[in-house]
Amino acid sequence: MAPAAPGPATGERIPPETAGPRRRMRPWRLLPTPTGTPFTFAYAAVLVGTSLFALLADPGVVASALRGSSTDVAHLAHTPVFVLVASALWIAGGITSPFAIGFLVVLTALERRIGGRRTAGVFVLGHTVATLATEVPVGLSVMAGHLPESSLHRLDYGISFGVAASIGALAGLLTPWLRWAVLAVVGGMLVEDLIEFADPMTSWGHLMALAIGVGTWPLVRRWRRAPGPSAA
């Protein structure tokens, strides 16, 4: 009888160099790159620039720029497109804000899975819908006499709604245990902020944006890139 060929059937261990390719840990893929995640990389560069401006420029000039970028009811009534775009060019709390860190990690991960244009679409959807959903009731309450007229000029800017929506969307592409862990942790933090009642309108907006992201699961799962090598 001829001897059995070496391999798995004989119980012989296959040397590592002949085994199939293994997925290597590449921590740098958690951060955006110009080729792998161009949308997140370019957007992050803009946010770094505006954050440095807010830190180094004259405080009066910074305050004026933030007021002009605010998505308050008065601005939304006159220049809605401009302020929706301008408000997303600033990070409330600066580059050390948790939402700044979340922006880098979450949008990088989402863009690597569904591409730049679709990631931008998820971000814009969350930013726009959550902003309108929080500011329109303010305008209606002022008209009804339940809030003072000064509420029409409430300062409102930042990337947090877009980031929250992106977290919700990304969760739909994760493994089940990680998906529900992310939603439980992030949702719990947002509910805690709401309970503290420091800024209830913004806190409600964060929760709505997270829910908007969850609502995109059928789309993002359809958009998920086919397996294969991706840019570094």
Side-chain angles (χ1 to χ4, degrees):
M1 179 182 292
T10 65
E12 184 177 335
R13 191 171 183 178
I14 300 176
E17 61 270 15
T18 63
R22 294 182 178 179
R23 194 174 186 87
R24 292 179 298 172
M25 293 294 293
R26 291 178 285 183
W28 60 86
R29 286 176 62 82
L30 296 174
L31 298 176
T33 62
T35 54
T37 54
F39 165 71
T40 306
F41 186 87
Y43 197 171
V46 172
L47 292 173
V48 168
T50 56
S51 297
L52 290 175
F53 172 81
L55 183 65
L56 302 175
D58 178 80
V61 174
V62 173
S64 177
L66 293 178
R67 283 195 301 270
S69 304
S70 174
T71 49
D72 54 54
V73 177
H75 280 130
L76 286 172
H78 295 93
T79 55
V81 175
F82 172 79
V83 292
L84 282 169
V85 172
S87 65
L89 302 180
W90 305 91
I91 305 176
I95 55 177
T96 59
S97 163
F99 281 104
I101 300 170
F103 173 90
L104 286 177
V105 175
V106 172
L107 267 75
T108 296
L110 189 59
E111 185 171 357
R112 288 194 186 280
R113 287 164 172 80
I114 66 173
R117 286 183 297 178
R118 290 163 177 170
T119 298
V122 170
F123 185 95
V124 170
L125 179 68
H127 175 69
T128 301
V129 175
T131 296
L132 295 177
T134 51
E135 292 296 342
V136 169
V138 171
L140 295 175
S141 295
V142 171
M143 291 175 60
H146 299 309
L147 286 176
E149 192 172 342
S150 59
S151 299
L152 298 176
H153 305 279
R154 171 180 172 271
L155 191 62
D156 187 14
Y157 65 91
I159 60 172
S160 59
F161 291 169
V163 173
S166 300
I167 292 172
L170 178 63
L173 302 176
L174 303 176
T175 57
W177 70 268
L178 185 55
R179 174 187 313 147
W180 300 116
V182 167
L183 290 178
V185 170
V186 175
M189 293 170 59
L190 298 182
V191 169
E192 184 178 354
D193 287 344
L194 182 61
I195 293 173
E196 290 179 358
F197 218 67
D199 188 354
M201 293 300 296
T202 299
S203 298
W204 274 118
H206 289 153
L207 285 169
M208 283 188 283
L210 184 67
I212 290 166
V214 170
T216 66
W217 284 2
L219 279 176
V220 296
R221 286 169 174 168
R222 191 183 313 157
W223 291 338
R224 186 201 298 261
R225 284 175 167 170
S230 56

